[in-house]
Amino acid sequence: MNVCKIIGNDMKQGVLKNKRLLFVPILCFFECMYYDNWMLIASSGRPFGKPNLPDLFIMLFRGSDPISKIADRDIKADLPYFWIAILVFAVFIGFEYMHDDLTQFGVQVITRCHKRSSWWYSKCLWCAVLSFVFYILVLATVVIYAALLGYKFTFENNYLITNTFAAASTVYESSPIWEISTLSKVFLLAAPFMVVWTLNMLQMFLSLFIKPIYSFLISLVLIVAGTLSDTPLAFSRHALIQQQLYRRCL
């Protein structure tokens, strides 16, 4: 069994026939509804103007202050529940296929191909494709929702909205943002995908040494760690778009 057949099997079973991907647009659509309503409430009575397409994307991955750095005990921690839900569902899809592959049909594949390296290369490619398809579905949902609600399709965000939510931080100093470089925009767009891909690759690698369920739990810990701290180890925090935008543009 050559590597092409293994890759074809992973693409077919792990991506094309992965029915859990159908729930991604549903999850993101409800999250877009939530943040769209949130922006309307926050902008009531203020001349913000109509939000643009990037505003909805930024809000979807807006994030929150690291809880460990909130000094004022009277301030209620605002956990990014929907952000956590997106990342958890992303790693769950990867975990589900890896679990089945390592405990069921994947054992036969490894036995027939006689090369663990071929199996591993195929899984690395599958992981990248699955993460990419997941993220494309998220972006497509944002675009469709924005089109239905009459958002302005432009690459520029509404800076009044961005600055208002950035200034709400109780940890970082306020600094108005009026221009975002092209390189920063590329980084902000790619950051969530890179985090999802890294989390899936990490749990796939750990599954070779420990039970898949434990690798999945480690991924969950890393996701939650991104809401608790902004240390380099909590790399999942890079998917918190507004906080990254805010800190990079100080």
Side-chain angles (χ1 to χ4, degrees), residues 19-35 60 82 85-86 89 93 133-134 136-142 144-145:
K19 296 181 180 179
R20 286 176 173 78
L21 287 171
L22 298 175
F23 292 97
V24 177
I26 299 175
L27 174 64
C28 292
F29 195 83
F30 279 105
E31 295 185 14
C32 287
M33 290 178 59
Y34 173 80
Y35 285 115
L60 193 64
F82 288 113
I86 289 178
F89 193 64
I93 294 176
V133 171
F134 178 91
I136 288 298
L137 289 173
V138 172
L139 294 179
T141 304
V142 172
I144 293 173
Y145 184 90

Side-chain angles (χ1 to χ4, degrees), residues 11 15 121-136 193 196-198 200-201 204:
M11 295 300 108
V15 180
Y121 295 148
S122 176
K123 287 298 175 291
C124 290
L125 180 60
W126 158 79
C127 184
V129 173
L130 178 68
S131 302
F132 182 74
V133 171
F134 178 91
Y135 193 50
I136 288 298
F193 163 68
V196 168
W197 185 12
T198 302
N200 276 327
M201 280 294 297
M204 186 175 68

